[in-house]
């Protein structure tokens, strides 16, 4: 494990211990143990990219100078707030999507002892963010901006979830609702704000910046987040499962994927009929027909063209930014995802 | 309808309209309609006591002088934030408790079109609070204190829910977990903070007060909230259903009610066996046996004695408070609940 990642995980242990001894609640032994297990099960098991990128970004905003241990701790605490936010969304998303596994283990709500208590655990995860912020940032001049930022991003994510949920309503599989604009809107709100904008915004606030002055940075990161999700949709179907680490299921799951909305845009009437008849069915023949259609429509090429255009647009937007340090932050994000295979 | 209540409902219409046109999210027509219906279904249909009491309290803190229309609007907006918080908790609580009806209609998640989307709707309700606070209080000197207050109270409520959920875990009906201290802890966190402390704390902040100076007010309101819930538990079994407006089900629901914890405290070995064998069973004979035991143990008298003691303690605590205006607020709350029949 990298040194940075192990330092980051040390901060998790500190934050967890503070939460388990929060003076604003009188824990029973049972409830303290419950939260302890719930956190270990749901918070630190992901790739931690979002959290770690707060430290990265803050360091780049300070021209790469060595950070003090206090700065590392604080950037890590903010990074963990994003990981907690992610855990909160995932615990509840799995319930709503009736999912079975997450990160190679049963979803939290699927554990027999947990069940619907997971709804309240999701809420607790969300509340832990405000506890962490209060414990470590209450005295900072940017404390209120941090609260506003997390509130705004949570609102946007929940709103994106809402359009996702009502567009892909179970029992009402209706491809006519899917289009490029709705795909973009879902992705922008549900994923891009919290995964791309939030880590950089945290770093900017810590560096003493005013977010109102950084609307351009926000827009670039949102575009990057959309590009990232289009890659995700592409890889779900076209990546080598060995490299991707999982077998994609977007076709049978009736997902509003970039591939299906592109197919709907490019297809003729006959192909459209095929899409309507076979998309969203958990049947290997139907899946094969959809994949063959994606090949007929040359979606791989269409994606590579999209990727090229996105990259060019993003690099020129980044180059237009007046601050070299901010450029470095944005380049670092783009470098991590451009042409990714997993 | 009283003039105050109709003014209060007018503010709901304004707040809803702002939320449906929030510039930080690009609604689709479907999603705007969804939120519109979801709000009308879940937010304004309760008794509105918590919300209205912000206006009451703020008025009393200002020695009953006539409030400006701006003050009324703002106190109402804070009152609605509490009603939104309540709606958020209830929508999710009904899912966790597998409840069927709420306020005389099916629970939101029980509607066929809604189902588990209700989880995200709960989250949206919670996020609307921060939108309302930002829209109407961002420029106030007490804005950050309002955010901290709502965050703290939400954290305490969710923590109380947690002990409630893990104490009364489905499939593990175990009376030995129930006791007066655990009952008190559940009630204090799950109900008292948001129902009793929060409305007064909102009014105090609006009046320019510092909450750190009002720990005594908080403690008195928490005691009142506990007394209120003990009444609730008592009425569930002993009130006339005609007057109460519903038929109590705490016995068959295996609730950690004040009555059962008192019974456990007062019973002999034989009666304890009866409690263990009959509590939490949806069977009219079992329920009758529990009720007979409550009579044998004279729980009605025990309650009346508890009520008398609580009232005396509360009135003497209130009398000890240095501010007449704060005394008036506390008396107003106590007056509304003392010896209530429903
Ligand atoms: Mg999901
Ligand atoms: Mg989902
Ligand atoms: Mg995917
Ligand atoms: Mg309930
Ligand atoms: Mg409950
Ligand atoms: Mg009750």
């Amino acid at each position: 494990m990298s040194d940075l990642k192990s330092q980051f995980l040390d901060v998790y242990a500190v934050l967890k211990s503070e939460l388990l001894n929060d003076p604003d609640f009188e824990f029973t032994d049972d409830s303290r143990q419950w939260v302890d297990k719930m956190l270990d099960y749901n918070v630190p098991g992901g790739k931690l990219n979002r959290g770690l990128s707060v430290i990265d970004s803050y360091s780049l905003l300070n021209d790469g100078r060595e950070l003090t241990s206090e700065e590392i701790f604080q950037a890590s605490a903010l990074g963990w707030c994003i990981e907690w936010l992610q855990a909160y969304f995932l615990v509840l998303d799995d319930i709503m999507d009736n999912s079975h596994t997450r990160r190679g283990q049963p979803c939290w709500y699927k554990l027999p002892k947990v069940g619907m208590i997971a709804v309240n655990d999701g809420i607790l995860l969300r509340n832990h963010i405000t506890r962490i912020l209060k414990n470590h940032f209450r005295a900072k001049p940017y404390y209120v901006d941090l609260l506003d930022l997390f509130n705004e991003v949570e609102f946007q994510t929940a709103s994106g979830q809402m359009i996702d949920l009502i567009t892909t309503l179970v029992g009402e599989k209706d491809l006519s609702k899917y289009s490029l604009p709705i795909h973009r809107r879902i992705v922008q709100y549900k994923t891009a704000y919290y995964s791309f904008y939030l880590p950089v915004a945290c770093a900017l606030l810590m560096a003493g910046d005013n977010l109102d002055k950084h609307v351009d940075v926000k827009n670039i990161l949102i575009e990057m987040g959309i590009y990232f999700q289009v890659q995700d949709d592409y890889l779900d179907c076209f990546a080598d499962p060995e490299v991707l680490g999982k077998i994609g299921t977007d076709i049978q799951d009736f997902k509003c994927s970039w591939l299906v909305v592109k197919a709907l845009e490019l297809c003729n009437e006959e192909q459209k009929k095929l899409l309507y008849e076979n998309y969203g069915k958990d049947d290997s023949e139907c899946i094969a027909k959809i994949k063959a259609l994606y090949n007929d429509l040359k979606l791989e090429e269409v994606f590579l063209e999209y990727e090229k255009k996105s990259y060019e647009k993003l690099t020129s937007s980044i180059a237009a930014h007046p601050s070299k340090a901010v450029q470095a932050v944005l380049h670092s994000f783009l470098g991590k995802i451009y042409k990714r295979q997993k």
Side-chain angles (χ1 to χ4, degrees), chain A:
Chain A
M1 200 184 322
S2 76
D3 193 42
L4 185 68
K5 190 163 175 183
S6 90
Q7 273 187 305
F8 188 61
L9 285 166
D10 289 345
V11 175
Y12 169 76
V14 174
L15 298 175
K16 185 178 89 167
S17 151
E18 288 169 355
L19 292 167
L20 296 179
N21 297 287
D22 193 317
D24 276 356
F25 179 61
E26 297 166 72
F27 279 95
T28 55
D29 290 343
D30 282 353
S31 58
R32 185 177 284 108
Q33 273 176 38
W34 182 277
V35 175
D36 191 343
K37 279 189 196 159
M38 190 270 286
L39 292 179
D40 285 347
Y41 199 91
N42 294 296
V43 178
K47 281 168 291 188
L48 308 180
N49 286 337
R50 293 171 181 80
L52 288 165
S53 69
V54 178
I55 318 173
D56 270 356
S57 301
Y58 181 73
S59 170
L60 289 167
L61 287 175
N62 286 279
D63 303 311
R65 73 164 165 80
E66 197 164 347
L67 305 181
T68 68
S69 59
E70 203 193 336
E71 285 177 309
I72 292 176
F73 182 88
Q74 284 173 346
S76 300
L78 291 180
W80 278 113
C81 285
I82 302 176
E83 294 295 332
W84 246 271
L85 189 71
Q86 156 103 331
Y88 153 54
F89 289 136
L90 298 184
V91 163
L92 299 182
D93 181 69
D94 286 339
I95 297 171
M96 292 186 272
D97 291 345
N98 195 21
S99 300
H100 297 269
T101 56
R102 162 79 63 192
R103 297 171 179 168
Q105 58 182 6
C107 299
W108 176 242
Y109 86 99
K110 278 285 177 188
L111 299 188
K113 277 231 161 199
V114 181
M116 282 301 134
I117 299 179
V119 173
N120 197 63
D121 289 331
I123 295 175
L124 282 175
L125 288 166
R126 195 252 165 258
N127 279 277
H128 287 166
I129 298 167
T130 55
R131 305 309 293 166
I132 295 170
L133 294 178
K134 194 169 181 201
N135 281 339
H136 295 283
F137 298 92
R138 184 68 170 91
K140 302 285 180 191
Y142 53 85
Y143 176 64
V144 69
D145 299 307
L146 269 181
L147 292 179
D148 278 350
L149 172 65
F150 273 88
N151 286 336
E152 178 183 306
V153 168
E154 185 195 345
F155 167 69
Q156 289 168 320
T157 309
S159 299
Q161 269 283 35
M162 172 178 54
I163 5 178
D164 188 18
L165 288 161
I166 65 184
T167 305
T168 58
L169 248 186
V170 186
E172 279 195 25
K173 291 185 182 176
D174 179 4
L175 269 188
S176 72
K177 290 195 213 154
Y178 290 177
S179 67
L180 217 46
I182 195 84
H183 176 267
R184 186 187 161 86
R185 213 178 309 196
I186 292 174
V187 166
Q188 170 178 351
Y189 285 97
K190 194 179 83 161
T191 305
Y193 280 101
Y194 93 89
S195 303
F196 284 78
Y197 172 58
L198 183 56
V200 175
C202 284
L204 285 167
L205 285 178
M206 246 194 88
D209 258 323
N210 182 334
L211 295 180
D212 293 336
K213 286 195 229 142
H214 286 294
V215 179
D216 47 349
V217 174
K218 185 193 240 178
N219 290 335
I220 293 170
L221 287 161
I222 296 308
E223 286 304 322
M224 237 186 269
I226 293 167
Y227 162 54
F228 176 85
Q229 184 60 43
V230 173
Q231 286 178 313
D232 197 80
D233 291 350
Y234 167 79
L235 293 170
D236 189 87
C237 179
F238 288 103
D240 178 351
E242 286 289 317
V243 178
L244 191 64
K246 65 176 180 184
I247 299 165
T249 59
D250 283 359
I251 294 172
Q252 54 268 46
D253 290 349
F254 198 73
K255 283 283 166 68
C256 183
S257 158
W258 183 82
L259 295 173
V260 77
V261 298
K262 263 293 158 191
L264 285 164
E265 191 185 283
L266 300 171
C267 66
N268 60 33
E269 279 305 309
E270 194 187 331
Q271 291 167 322
K272 190 169 174 177
K273 198 161 162 276
L274 187 147
L275 273 172
Y276 271 73
E277 281 170 3
N278 296 284
Y279 198 70
K281 295 202 173 130
D282 196 2
D283 172 309
S284 55
E285 268 185 53
C286 296
I287 298 168
K289 280 183 195 165
I290 298 290
K291 287 198 176 182
L293 177 62
Y294 286 178
N295 283 327
D296 293 344
L297 295 170
K298 300 199 171 27
L299 288 191
E300 227 172 328
E301 281 172 40
V302 177
F303 170 75
L304 290 173
E305 185 58 27
Y306 166 88
E307 176 157 68
K308 185 163 163 273
K309 282 263 168 61
S310 295
Y311 185 76
E312 285 166 10
K313 221 178 125 193
L314 286 166
T315 45
S316 76
S317 305
I318 294 171
H321 197 281
S323 152
K324 288 287 167 203
V326 171
Q327 285 190 17
V329 169
L330 297 170
H331 270 303
S332 158
F333 261 81
L334 185 55
K336 279 177 206 155
I337 62 170
Y338 180 53
K339 296 232 174 237
R340 70 191 175 98
Q341 301 299 317
K342 58 173 186 168

